[in-house]
């Protein structure tokens, strides 16, 4: 970026960074603080948006690039959010089979995943990703889940990558 971030912008960046909970880069206390900040806000937004239909939705967190990062980032988050909203939790129905090889090392940056295919048939899905850059992950997951018989209702993220103000 060719601009200096404001104090609020830095706070937002740290919130996203601490939510991502990358082992070795974020402490468990910082991650817990991020969850305690985000979960009530997401719960309020989802209840306002979907009202009494929220219990018809299934939360699908788009997995992180590795099994370790995926568990650190989304296991507790998805359990807590679905408990607060009465959505179904798809976390245990998508497994990271093989960690992604980073793009800068010649890989795709996308992990190999296993889907419990029968689980998704007929479900209404709320997709969640930590950060959206171009929306390619959301679109790829939307297409995959729809191929399994699900209907994707909406996508939500904590942050959006931007290089402009």
């Amino acid at each position: 970026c060719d601009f200096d971030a404001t104090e609020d912008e830095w706070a937002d960046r740290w919130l996203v960074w601490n939510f991502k909970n990358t082992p070795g880069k974020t402490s468990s206390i910082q991650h817990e603080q991020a969850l305690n900040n985000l979960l009530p806000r997401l719960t309020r937004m989802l209840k306002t948006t979907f009202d009494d239909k929220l219990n018809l939705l299934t939360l699908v967190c788009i997995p992180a690039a590795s099994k370790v990062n995926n568990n650190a980032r989304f296991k507790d988050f998805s359990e807590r959010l679905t408990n607060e909203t009465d959505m179904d939790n798809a976390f245990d129905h998508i497994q990271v089979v093989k960690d992604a090889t980073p793009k800068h090392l010649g890989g795709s940056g996308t992990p190999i995943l296993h889907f419990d295919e029968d689980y998704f048939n007929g479900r209404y899905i709320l997709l969640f990703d930590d950060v959206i850059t171009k929306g390619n992950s959301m679109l790829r997951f939307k297409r995959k889940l729809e191929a399994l018989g699900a209907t994707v209702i909406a996508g939500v993220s904590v942050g959006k990558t931007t290089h402009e103000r």
Side-chain angles (χ1 to χ4, degrees):
C1 298
D2 60 357
F3 58 84
D4 292 325
T6 67
E7 192 173 315
D8 286 344
E9 289 168 333
W10 274 113
D12 289 343
R13 290 176 185 192
W14 280 112
L15 179 64
V16 170
W17 183 261
N18 291 329
F19 172 81
K20 289 174 80 71
N21 197 23
T22 304
K25 296 183 179 180
T26 305
S27 75
S28 59
I29 292 170
Q30 291 167 317
H31 180 64
E32 183 65 27
Q33 289 170 338
L35 288 180
N36 289 339
N37 180 324
L38 289 169
L39 284 166
R41 292 164 57 187
L42 282 169
T43 299
R44 215 172 16 258
M45 183 269 299
L46 292 170
K47 286 182 176 181
T48 299
T49 303
F50 295 103
D51 196 28
D52 63 344
K53 304 282 190 267
L54 202 49
N55 65 329
L56 302 175
L57 299 179
T58 299
L59 176 69
V60 173
C61 295
I62 297 176
S66 74
K67 186 174 189 171
V68 167
N69 287 355
N70 191 56
N71 286 337
R73 189 169 303 160
F74 294 124
K75 186 167 180 50
D76 186 43
F77 166 77
S78 64
E79 288 173 2
R80 289 170 64 177
L81 184 60
T82 55
N83 284 340
E84 288 296 319
T85 59
D86 204 26
M87 288 187 291
D88 287 332
N89 185 357
F91 182 83
D92 290 331
H93 298 277
I94 302 172
Q95 278 82 41
V96 176
V97 175
K98 184 177 179 194
D99 293 353
T101 301
K103 288 181 182 180
H104 70 278
L105 296 178
S108 68
T110 304
I112 295 174
L113 305 172
H114 171 74
F115 291 80
D116 177 356
E117 295 184 5
D118 293 336
Y119 177 81
F120 293 100
N121 189 31
R123 290 187 178 264
Y124 296 103
I125 304 295
L126 174 71
L127 282 175
F128 180 86
D129 205 355
D130 51 7
V131 177
I132 294 178
T133 300
K134 294 179 181 176
N136 292 337
S137 295
M138 285 266 186
L139 186 56
R140 186 173 61 252
F141 256 76
K142 176 185 183 300
R143 288 177 178 153
K144 172 64 178 177
L145 293 170
E146 288 177 345
L148 297 176
T151 302
V152 176
I153 301 298
V156 178
S157 72
V158 174
K160 179 176 182 351
T161 303
T162 182
H163 300 286
E164 301 174 6
R165 279 208 164 145

